[in-house]
Amino acid sequence: MFAIKTFLALSSIAMTNVVFALGPPAINLGTSGNFVVLAKSGVSTVSPSAITGNIAVSPGTSAAITGFSLIKAGTFATSTQVVGSVFASDFTAPTPATLTTAVLAMQAAFTDGNSRTANATINLGAGTLTGLTLAPGLYTWSNTVNVVTSLTLAGLPTDIWILKIAGGFNLAAAQKIILTGALAKNVFWVVTGSVNIGGTSSFAGVMLAKTDVTLVTGSSLTGRVLSQTAVALQKATVV
Ligand SMILES: *[C@@H]1O[C@H](CO)[C@@H](O)[C@H](O)[C@H]1NC(C)=O
């Protein structure tokens, strides 16, 4: 009886105090996580976009941040399209060094994500995803991924998803990445090719892109977009 009671007591302690997160270890974004949009060569907007958070370009300069009608203020700039600050490598110190560090962190995060192989689900749907629901985990594709109809990621707020794509990534127009229980900060997209978020679609997660990302007219993104080349926003919403 004592043994049973002790066991029950210990189990209940374990049940209430320990949450077992499913999926791979998270990717550490370092200081790149201070930006909702970070790009090396440029960020463009077709006005009006609506960005909540900081955006930055480095080593590109503020000349490569186009369509924002920037109001420069020394270390940063503002724009009516940004609730937050805009940074570029040609602004006053310490901004250039801060951005260099953030870009290195973004690149390290991509390299980490792109190196993951453990327990992967490989080439699901041969890259054509139609109305799937994915549990936490690592998913890898050797070619381009097309989300044709909305994709759901279902789990708990502590669970992690890494979607590693060796080709490009396309979210079809008017489709959604739906998070059910999942948090955008725990969903990592690691994409080697070009990224296209279709018109009026809604994307979720941290996009670690090796090259260009385009948010086509009226689309939205919840999370971050961290690109090693350029980000094009066309009347897009980023939060
Ligand atoms: C892979 O799966 C095993 C068995 O479930 C688990 O112990 C291990 O932590 C997993 N590794 C990663 C990196 O997810």
Side-chain angles (χ1 to χ4, degrees):
M1 194 56 172
F2 174 77
I4 290 168
K5 274 187 182 157
T6 305
F7 172 76
L8 289 173
L10 287 172
S11 327
S12 107
I13 288 166
M15 300 279 289
T16 51
N17 291 325
V18 180
V19 175
F20 294 96
L22 298 179
I27 297 172
N28 182 0
L29 300 179
T31 59
S32 67
N34 294 337
F35 302 92
V36 292
V37 179
L38 175 62
K40 287 178 72 175
S41 63
V43 178
S44 64
T45 176
V46 175
S47 182
S49 291
I51 294 127
T52 303
N54 298 325
I55 77 175
V57 171
S58 176
T61 67
S62 55
I65 303 177
T66 60
F68 285 92
S69 306
L70 294 181
I71 302 154
K72 294 184 187 175
T75 58
F76 67 98
T78 58
S79 166
T80 56
Q81 295 173 66
V82 182
V83 179
S85 299
V86 180
F87 299 91
S89 68
D90 56 330
F91 290 175
T92 307
T95 296
T98 303
L99 297 184
T100 298
T101 302
V103 167
L104 288 173
M106 161 174 83
Q107 293 177 165
F110 180 91
T111 300
D112 175 12
N114 206 35
S115 74
R116 302 294 184 95
T117 54
N119 306 332
T121 299
I122 297 170
N123 289 332
L124 187 65
T128 299
L129 308 185
T130 49
L132 294 182
T133 296
L134 304 183
L138 171 65
Y139 297 83
T140 68
W141 288 272
S142 55
N143 285 304
T144 290
V145 168
N146 293 296
V147 173
V148 178
T149 51
S150 296
L151 173 71
T152 302
L153 307 178
L156 295 174
T158 45
D159 294 339
I160 306 289
W161 287 255
I162 297 177
L163 304 109
K164 181 178 111 174
I165 301 168
F169 174 78
N170 301 304
L171 174 58
Q175 300 302 315
K176 292 183 163 71
I177 304 299
I178 299 165
L179 303 185
T180 303
L183 297 183
K185 72 182 178 80
N186 292 332
V187 176
F188 300 92
W189 301 80
V190 183
V191 183
T192 296
S194 292
V195 173
N196 196 80
I197 306 301
T200 74
S201 65
S202 65
F203 176 87
V206 177
M207 173 57 73
L208 288 160
K210 182 79 187 204
T211 182
D212 294 352
V213 178
T214 302
L215 272 72
V216 178
T217 308
S219 62
S220 67
L221 181 150
T222 301
R224 302 182 195 286
V225 51
L226 308 175
S227 164
Q228 293 185 37
T229 61
V231 176
L233 306 168
Q234 302 171 352
K235 302 185 181 186
T237 302
V238 179
V239 294

